[in-house]
């Protein structure tokens, strides 16, 4: 018996790296898994691993695709899984993703938003296309599956079948502290934190819990940017599986950092030292007061890669 017995779980970007580890870990705990992966390259370019057929929004994925290969691994171990090859940053792809879970297994319990890619540049060299592409796959690729899954769960709750629904989003240390050369990625990952907090506040009434993880592990996305990472994707997955299970009841609106054998509850923006005059400050007064407040404030986390 696993902690996810009979739960139906979607993992986006589940064909490689962290997503693959999550999909296998959920299956090992008894979940039925929908493995989504578009099969693109590290920078989102096509033609680097997808052997599936059909359009990006159609949801089809061949057995030789990254998603199909993970499904075969799960089935070989006695689990149940189906592949989905659609683009979750499109309305069609996100809708077909949730429909695949419902059509294949009759329900949906957990959504793990993990899909993403990198296009790293220093800000002065960062083109608009690279900005838009990274924001699209990370932020929109979280929003659309979340919205479609939440619509299903809200309908279930209104029909008197309140779910024990779970969403696990994927942010990053880059989104929490910044990362030199990754302005687009850091902004997207920070946006996912904001989306997580709002979704948790809005959706709790329907039995939906929403949390985020900031994983640190050696994957094809991190091996160049963060060469010193020691952890592997399989180290992160146990926390994701627990957050995606009914056992995590009452935990929502939180961000966790996971690396190797370490789990950290991340504590975000909250009021620090404050001064109140009761009237408008002059610029000089505002400056003097701000310097005094900063002297009493905690230093910010250093930006990754800053000298």
């Amino acid at each position: 018996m696993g902690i996810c017995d009979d739960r139906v779980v979607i993992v986006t970007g589940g064909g490689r790296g962290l997503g693959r580890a999550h999909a296998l870990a959920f299956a090992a705990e008894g979940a039925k898994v929908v493995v989504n992966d578009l099969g693109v390259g590290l920078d989102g370019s096509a033609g680097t691993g997808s052997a599936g057929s059909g359009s990006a929004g159609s949801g089809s994925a061949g057995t030789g695709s990254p998603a199909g290969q993970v499904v075969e691994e799960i089935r070989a171990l006695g689990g149940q899984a189906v592949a989905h090859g659609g683009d979750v940053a499109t309305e069609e792809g996100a809708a077909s993703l949730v429909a695949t879970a419902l059509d294949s297994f009759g329900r949906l319990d957990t959504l793990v938003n993990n899909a993403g890619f990198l296009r790293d540049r220093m800000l002065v060299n960062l083109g608009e296309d690279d900005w838009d592409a990274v924001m699209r796959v990370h932020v929109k690729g979280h929003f659309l599956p979340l919205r479609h899954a939440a619509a299903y769960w809200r309908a279930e709750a209104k029909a008197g079948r309140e779910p024990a629904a779970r969403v696990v989003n994927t942010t990053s240390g880059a989104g929490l502290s910044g990362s030199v050369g990754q302005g687009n990625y850091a902004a997207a990952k920070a946006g996912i934190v904001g989306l997580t907090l709002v979704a948790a506040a809005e959706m709790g009434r329907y039995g939906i819990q929403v949390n985020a993880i900031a994983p640190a592990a050696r994957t094809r996305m991190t091996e160049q940017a963060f060469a010193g990472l020691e952890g592997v994707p399989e180290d992160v997955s146990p926390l994701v599986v627990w957050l995606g299970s009914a056992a995590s009841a009452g935990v929502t609106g939180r961000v966790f950092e996971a690396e190797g054998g370490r789990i950290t509850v991340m504590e975000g923006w909250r009021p620090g030292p404050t001064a109140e005059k009761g009237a408008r400050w002059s610029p000089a007064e505002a400056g003097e007061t701000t310097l005094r407040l900063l002297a009493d404030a905690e230093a910010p986390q250093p930006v990754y890669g800053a000298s």
Side-chain angles (χ1 to χ4, degrees), residues 9-263:
V9 177
I10 288 172
V11 180
T12 72
R16 288 173 284 213
L18 285 161
R20 173 183 174 273
H22 299 342
L24 290 168
F26 271 108
E29 290 293 331
K32 302 168 186 177
V33 186
V34 179
V35 182
N36 161 268
D37 202 288
L38 193 54
V40 298
L42 179 59
D43 64 352
S45 59
T48 57
S50 177
S53 60
S55 68
S58 69
S60 60
T63 56
S65 68
Q69 290 171 6
V70 175
V71 166
E72 291 304 311
E73 287 186 74
I74 290 172
R75 290 176 177 172
L77 295 170
Q80 298 183 58
V82 295
H84 179 271
D87 183 352
V88 297
T90 67
E91 185 73 22
E92 179 187 4
S96 71
L97 175 64
V98 173
T100 295
L102 301 181
D103 293 344
S104 300
F105 301 120
R107 59 185 292 151
L108 173 62
D109 300 290
T110 298
L111 168 65
V112 179
N113 282 316
N114 171 76
F117 57 69
L118 296 174
R119 293 190 184 179
D120 293 351
R121 299 283 190 280
M122 301 298 279
L123 285 172
V124 295
N125 297 319
L126 182 62
E128 184 177 3
D129 288 346
D130 289 337
W131 174 274
D132 289 344
V134 168
M135 294 297 287
R136 173 187 176 276
V137 70
H138 288 279
V139 181
K140 196 173 181 182
H142 272 62
F143 162 66
L144 286 175
L146 172 59
R147 182 165 65 83
H148 281 279
Y152 161 71
W153 288 322
R154 181 181 63 178
E156 288 290 288
K158 289 186 174 181
R161 300 184 296 270
E162 182 171 303
R166 306 288 185 262
V167 178
V168 184
N169 291 330
T170 306
T171 183
S172 167
L176 303 177
S177 301
S179 180
V180 171
Q182 293 188 305
N184 49 0
Y185 179 73
K189 289 304 191 182
I192 288 168
V193 173
L195 177 64
T196 298
L197 301 180
V198 172
E202 290 184 354
M203 297 176 182
R205 72 189 74 178
Y206 305 120
I208 306 169
Q209 295 182 182
V210 187
N211 294 285
I213 60 160
R218 292 197 311 272
T219 70
R220 64 179 188 148
M221 280 184 60
T222 61
E223 62 185 1
Q224 294 181 358
F226 303 107
L229 287 177
E230 296 293 334
V232 295
E234 290 76 11
D235 296 333
V236 176
S237 298
L239 174 61
V240 176
V241 171
W242 182 80
L243 288 171
S245 75
S248 64
V251 179
T252 193
R254 293 287 194 164
V255 178
F256 301 89
E257 191 171 71
E259 179 183 5
R262 176 175 56 83
I263 296 172

Side-chain angles (χ1 to χ4, degrees), residues 57 67-68 225 270:
R270 61 186 65 206

